Amino acid sequence: MAIRAERVSGDDSMQLDDERHETARQAVVIAERIDRQSRAPAPKAHESLVALHQPAGAAAEAFRGLYYALRRSVGGSPLGVLAVASAARGEGRSTVAANLALVAARETGRPVALVDADLRAPALHRLFGVDGEVGLSDVLANRADLEAVVYEHPNAHVALIGGGRPEAEPARRFTSPRFARFLAQVRGEFAETVIDLPPLACVDARLIAAQCSGVVLVVRSGQTEAQLARDSLEELEGARVLGAVLNGAAGLEAPQLRAARRALPPGR
Ligand SMILES: Nc1ncnc2c1ncn2[C@@H]1O[C@H](COP(=O)(O)OP(=O)(O)OP(=O)(O)O)[C@@H](O)[C@H]1O
Ligand SMILES: [Mg+2]
């Protein structure tokens, strides 16, 4: 993201001086952050980021398959803003979101934004081994600009926007004009953005999903009840569900996989 240093020059008007001072201050903060990032070695990422650690392995290949299946479901074009949803906690939303963003960036050679919208319990920064001091919650509460909270991964072409300071009741943030502005900004800068949602039991997940270009539903094999998965599709009424991921299906036999496919047809 470019820094408009030329906006920081003298002027007679006091108000403009104040504005320019603020612009200069923010430019310095951003420049320092980018400088720190570019000098820092790549942080130690969690082993579940298989697309980063073993890009040629079977698990990364499964995420590549998922990415291209999603692309096919939208006629081959870039995914725009894709939300990753699931019914309950611990079903693998963050793992799927992060690996999907990593393979998308690798396959297209373009930067992909990865956004942690689970503001009650932000987690993506930990997967990438970076501090979670500031992020989306700070942008939405007007405490920071988007440029100041983006973490550009040194090896992966992924621009991580962490959750930031946790919030207990974040729903109203996602109906605010600031969130609409945030979405417009990421749409303008990235052909593909992946958003990690809270569980669908939280109203914010539904509010965000309805504003995205598409949604993928994660169902955890042996954990998510079939009825709960069907209820989730109902809760996503109004959003564009592109398909579902059966996460952790490696141990399943072929007949069980066929049954799962019938229960959750990709696309609607
Ligand atoms: N396919 C898988 N195989 C093995 N472990 C997995 C798999 N998918 C996810 N996990 C593990 O399960 C745990 C929960 O995954 P993750 O954090 O991605 O889920 P989540 O839905 O985002 O959870 P939360 O609701 O807490 O945000 C993590 O420890 C993760 O490493
Ligand atoms: Mg999560």
Side-chain angles (χ1 to χ4, degrees), residues 61-71 79 96 100 216 244-245:
E61 186 65 8
F63 284 112
R64 256 191 305 279
L66 170 64
Y67 173 66
Y68 283 114
L70 291 168
R71 288 275 300 243
L79 296 174
V96 170
L100 202 51
V216 59
V245 177

Side-chain angles (χ1 to χ4, degrees), residues 62-150:
F63 284 112
R64 256 191 305 279
L66 170 64
Y67 173 66
Y68 283 114
L70 291 168
R71 288 275 300 243
R72 255 197 325 279
S73 76
V74 295
S77 44
L79 296 174
V81 181
L82 175 81
V84 179
S86 87
R89 290 233 164 255
E91 292 176 320
R93 287 183 316 283
S94 300
T95 307
V96 170
N99 281 294
L100 202 51
L102 287 163
V103 295
R106 209 175 156 92
E107 291 302 294
T108 60
R110 284 192 306 251
V112 170
L114 172 63
V115 181
D116 195 338
D118 190 355
L119 298 191
R120 291 176 186 78
L124 287 180
H125 62 282
R126 248 178 274 124
L127 286 187
F128 281 84
V130 297
D131 80 62
E133 249 171 79
V134 288
L136 180 62
S137 71
D138 304 280
V139 174
L140 299 183
N142 217 357
R143 288 189 293 266
D145 286 341
L146 177 56
E147 290 83 350
V149 304
V150 175

